[in-house]
């Protein structure tokens, strides 16, 4: 079992969680809901089940994942993350912070599992090292770009609330890019390569 603070510290160092609020959110998500190994499959519900042993997260999202395809589920999670960032802008109390962290925890494990699952479904098995190597490099870039934008917005606008709100840019960029991905064609090319 990978749960606990040791996994949080290791995950923050290895996965580029960044600094500040993002690290707190990721740590809370890891402690509460990301206790198992993520399984890459084609069924969103399988991915959600593999990402969490928590019944609450599974019951909230497994039915939804069965109704939506993987791409739409990821887009929904990006919309929820945008709403969380907006809520973070208006945050006024400690209890709100805990609810905000809970919402991130509910969405984070499933969205990561779904993203890896979708990526794996379009990656030829013979080239999985190359594809996931690129995935890892992009993950490291996000560990640079996220804190860079957060810091720049905080300094330029003089308030960390605006810095939190500025992160919506990445969520919208992700939605825009994901809507342009032809998943069926990607899976067809994957099958042709194998």
């Amino acid at each position: 079992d990978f749960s606990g603070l040791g996994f949080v510290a290791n995950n923050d160092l290895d996965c580029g969680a960044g600094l500040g609020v993002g690290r707190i959110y990721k740590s809370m998500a890891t402690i509460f809901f990301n206790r198992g190994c993520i399984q890459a499959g084609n069924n969103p519900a399988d991915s959600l089940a593999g990402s969490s042993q928590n019944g609450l997260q599974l019951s909230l999202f497994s039915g939804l994942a069965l109704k939506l395809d993987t791409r739409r589920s990821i887009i929904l999670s990006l919309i929820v993350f945008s709403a969380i960032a907006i809520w973070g802008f208006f945050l006024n109390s400690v209890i709100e912070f805990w609810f905000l962290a809970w919402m991130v925890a509910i969405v984070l494990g499933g969205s990561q599992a779904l993203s890896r699952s979708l990526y794996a479904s379009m990656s030829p098995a013979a080239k999985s090292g190359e594809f996931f190597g690129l995935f890892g490099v992009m993950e490291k870039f996000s560990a640079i770009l996220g804190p860079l934008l957060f810091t720049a917005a905080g300094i330029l606008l003089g308030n960390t609330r605006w810095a939190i709100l500025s992160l919506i840019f990445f969520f919208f960029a992700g939605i825009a890019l994901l809507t342009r991905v032809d998943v069926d064609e990607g899976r067809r090319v994957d099958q042709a390569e194998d």
Side-chain angles (χ1 to χ4, degrees), residues 83-95:
I84 289 169
I86 292 168
W87 186 10
F89 179 79
F90 294 105
L91 193 71
N92 285 323
S93 69
V94 174
I95 193 70

Side-chain angles (χ1 to χ4, degrees), residues 8-88:
V8 171
N10 185 42
N11 203 26
D12 281 348
L13 294 173
D14 292 343
C15 295
L19 301 172
V21 176
R23 181 173 295 243
I24 293 168
Y25 290 163
K26 185 166 186 168
S27 298
M28 292 298 298
T30 303
I31 290 170
F32 288 124
F33 297 104
N34 198 14
R35 296 181 183 203
C37 297
I38 295 172
Q39 300 170 352
N42 289 332
N43 185 339
D46 293 343
S47 298
L48 284 169
S51 71
S52 174
Q53 296 173 353
N54 185 280
L56 178 61
Q57 182 182 21
L58 190 58
S59 65
L60 285 174
F61 292 104
S62 63
L64 185 60
L66 291 173
K67 292 177 184 168
L68 299 175
D69 63 2
T70 306
R71 181 173 50 171
R72 287 185 181 142
S73 298
I74 296 168
I75 289 171
L76 177 62
S77 72
L78 291 171
I79 291 168
V80 171
F81 277 126
S82 297
I84 289 169
I86 292 168
W87 186 10

Side-chain angles (χ1 to χ4, degrees), residues 119-158:
Y119 192 74
S121 73
M122 296 186 293
S123 304
K127 295 182 180 179
S128 64
E130 296 169 41
F131 275 75
F132 278 95
L134 176 64
F135 190 88
V137 168
M138 292 297 109
E139 199 171 48
K140 298 302 179 194
F141 272 114
S142 72
I144 295 168
L145 295 177
L148 184 65
L149 176 64
F150 187 92
T151 303
I155 290 171
L156 294 173
L157 300 172

Side-chain angles (χ1 to χ4, degrees), residues 111-123:
S111 65
Q112 286 180 334
L114 290 169
S115 298
R116 286 186 177 93
S117 172
L118 181 64
Y119 192 74
S121 73
M122 296 186 293
S123 304

Side-chain angles (χ1 to χ4, degrees), residues 169-185:
F169 166 78
F170 291 115
F171 302 134
F172 288 157
I175 291 169
L177 290 172
L178 193 54
T179 57
R180 296 174 190 260
V181 173
D182 187 347
V183 176
D184 294 330
E185 178 65 14

